Amino acid sequence: MQGKKILITGGTGQVARPVAEALASDNEVWCLGRFGDADARKALEELGVRTATWDMATDDLEGLPRDFTHVLHSAVHRGDGHDFEETTRINAVGTARLMTHCSAAESFLYVSSGVVYNRADRTHRYRESDPLGGAAPWLPTYPVAKITAEGVVRGLAETLGLPTVIARLNIAYGPYGHGGVPMILFREMRRGQACAVPREGQNYCNLLHTDDVVRQVPLLWGVAQAPARVVNWGGDEEVGITDLLEYLSELTGVPVRLDRGDYSRETAIFDHDVRRGLIGDCSIGWQTGIARTVSDLFEEYRDRIDEYVAAHGAETTK
Ligand code: NDP
């Protein structure tokens, strides 16, 4: 993508930061946020990204240019688990302000989540038309935030005639920010903590490496339409979380302890037909992606991972 004027929210986050960085060389990229992480802001600016302070809880967008061609709305207020009023208001109003401000854009991409689905079955491949109403016992406000914002996005896409995609993201991971759920689990392993898994079987997900996120964002912009299009957005492969933990242990030598109990953070797998039909397959296999990510984030395991990868034939960037 070249020569476009792109507005990104959540540009300091794990998902949108690599997109902002990748697009900055050939496009005019703006990132909005609170920028509590001053280093992230500085690093973005050093790459040519323009930054503007915007707290979607409180701020309007007065003074910001309106002639953006493409918008990536990745910022989220997940809430503290109890503040439903505040969580719905912040995500709904922030999203509405952004869409009305950028109503002349060619394309608006809202990053939603698979957490919106009513996930009753660990092995069901959720389709875009499946029942909504996801619950997240670890953070009850989060699915409400995402469903509320999706409603606003649908409403404004249609009333403004703004071509839009709602991309329901599975689990993104990669060398940015906290690294995503796989690296959060790996940190638990390193601390000697037991990882919560189901009493029987395992949870499954579709891990999506941030390199694929970066490659697929312009493709998703390219299929935006009004009324909004809804697309499941995850990696091609179905990955068992217990398999992932065991692979991390094999790669690094860090032992894994499984806590087989009644509570584990459930994940979901997607049906990919819509995504495949619109933007094609992913390019990074999960084992290669995980090896690279650990290597990037935890230098001390790099040599061991290189040896493992050489012995097992997978590729790594290091
Ligand atoms: P992060 O937690 O890494 O980042 C959140 C971003 O939101 C930050 O850039 C933050 O910027 C911004 N933000 C939070 N509150 C506000 C606010 N009040 N005003 C303006 N900006 C705000 O999130 P991820 O990158 O992990 O997630 C990005 C999107 O993807 C989210 O919408 C999330 O729901 C969705 N998603 C992510 C998944 C994943 O695996 N990571 C899975 C499924 C969905 P700052 O602090 O500078 O204001």
Side-chain angles (χ1 to χ4, degrees), residues 72 80 130 142 150 155 169 173 177 182 216 235 264 284 294:
L72 171 63
D80 64 4
D130 271 341
Y142 182 46
E150 276 199 11
L169 185 58
Y173 73 101
Q216 290 175 341
S264 67
I284 314 279
V294 179

Side-chain angles (χ1 to χ4, degrees), residues 10-16 33-36 54-57 74-78 90 111-113 142 146 169-172 178:
T12 55
Q14 189 228 338
V15 172
R34 298 163 304 172
F35 299 106
W54 179 61
D55 184 341
M56 67 175 170
S74 188
V76 63
H77 174 79
R78 291 185 174 87
I90 292 172
V111 186
S112 186
S113 167
Y142 182 46
K146 302 311 285 184
L169 185 58
N170 203 285
I171 291 182
H178 50 64

Side-chain angles (χ1 to χ4, degrees), residues 38-55:
D39 290 343
R41 182 175 203 161
K42 190 162 168 264
L44 284 166
E45 286 174 347
E46 278 169 4
L47 290 171
V49 173
R50 299 173 193 214
T51 62
T53 304
W54 179 61
D55 184 341

Side-chain angles (χ1 to χ4, degrees), residues 55-269:
D55 184 341
M56 67 175 170
T58 48
D59 302 343
D60 61 31
L61 292 162
E62 227 180 275
L64 188 76
R66 286 183 181 270
D67 57 344
F68 293 100
T69 58
H70 295 77
V71 183
L72 171 63
H73 181 26
S74 188
V76 63
H77 174 79
R78 291 185 174 87
D80 64 4
H82 307 285
D83 57 339
F84 289 92
E85 275 289 300
E86 196 57 1
T87 303
T88 48
R89 188 193 67 76
I90 292 172
N91 289 287
V93 174
T95 301
R97 280 190 176 127
L98 196 65
M99 289 186 83
T100 46
H101 190 87
C102 300
S103 59
E106 291 168 27
S107 183
F108 185 96
L109 171 55
Y110 173 63
V111 186
S112 186
S113 167
V115 80
V116 299
Y117 290 117
N118 182 7
R119 290 155 300 144
D121 179 351
R122 283 209 296 263
T123 56
H124 177 69
R125 296 189 177 100
Y126 287 89
R127 303 185 75 90
E128 288 79 355
S129 55
D130 271 341
L132 301 182
W138 70 91
L139 195 59
T141 41
Y142 182 46
V144 176
K146 302 311 285 184
I147 291 173
T148 305
E150 276 199 11
V152 172
V153 172
R154 280 174 196 266
L156 286 177
E158 207 161 325
T159 52
L160 297 170
L162 172 54
T164 295
V165 173
I166 294 171
R168 292 184 178 148
L169 185 58
N170 203 285
I171 291 182
Y173 73 101
Y176 286 84
H178 50 64
V181 170
M183 295 305 107
I184 292 172
L185 293 171
F186 183 54
R187 287 193 186 88
E188 287 181 12
M189 288 167 55
R190 277 164 46 99
R191 289 194 295 267
Q193 254 173 272
C195 301
V197 296
R199 203 175 284 286
E200 285 173 21
Q202 55 176 320
N203 292 322
Y204 291 90
C205 65
N206 302 112
L207 294 177
L208 183 66
H209 192 277
T210 45
D211 283 1
D212 274 319
V213 169
V214 167
R215 194 177 57 80
Q216 290 175 341
V217 162
L219 300 176
L220 287 168
W221 275 326
V223 298
Q225 63 178 25
R229 200 193 279 280
V230 179
V231 183
N232 280 342
W233 194 20
D236 294 337
E237 298 160 295
E238 292 171 1
V239 184
I241 297 287
T242 310
D243 296 339
L244 166 68
L245 294 169
E246 283 165 357
Y247 179 63
L248 281 165
S249 178
E250 213 177 300
L251 262 184
T252 61
V254 175
V256 59
R257 282 198 302 125
L258 301 179
D259 175 11
R260 289 193 181 280
D262 292 328
Y263 172 77
S264 67
R265 189 186 283 207
E266 84 276 13
T267 50
I269 46 173

